[in-house]
Amino acid sequence: MEPDLRIDLRGEACPMNFVRIKLALDRLAPGKLLLARVDPGPVAADLERSLTAQGYRMHHRSESAVGAEIAVSRPE
């Protein structure tokens, strides 16, 4: 599935990366896909956990040495 919006938040400190992801999701219609690039490791895992806890739908998370990608959408 091709993302409807991409944002690069690598280097962005917590909790601002979470806030920016939520603001980006608010601009999208329910069901539309956001791909966020974030720092790898605990940051990506924490973001996934926090977004899921708030009712957002996680599609996938992948990580490499240079960053992580989180695909997420608002519930329909």
Side-chain angles (χ1 to χ4, degrees):
M1 181 180 223
E2 191 65 27
D4 297 286
L5 179 63
R6 296 172 188 261
I7 56 174
D8 189 342
L9 299 172
R10 291 175 290 181
E12 186 78 43
C14 290
M16 284 309 296
N17 52 12
F18 178 71
V19 171
R20 290 183 191 270
I21 289 172
K22 286 186 64 172
L23 290 171
L25 286 165
D26 286 346
R27 293 192 318 248
L28 293 175
K32 298 294 183 182
L33 189 65
L34 169 69
L35 181 67
R37 289 195 174 123
V38 299
D39 294 325
V43 171
D46 289 346
L47 285 168
E48 181 176 7
R49 195 170 28 258
S50 295
L51 290 164
T52 300
Q54 293 215 353
Y56 294 100
R57 181 173 175 228
M58 297 303 302
H59 295 269
H60 80 270
R61 183 179 100 210
S62 61
E63 294 196 37
S64 71
V66 296
E69 290 187 338
I70 297 173
V72 60
S73 65
R74 289 173 45 198
E76 294 186 46

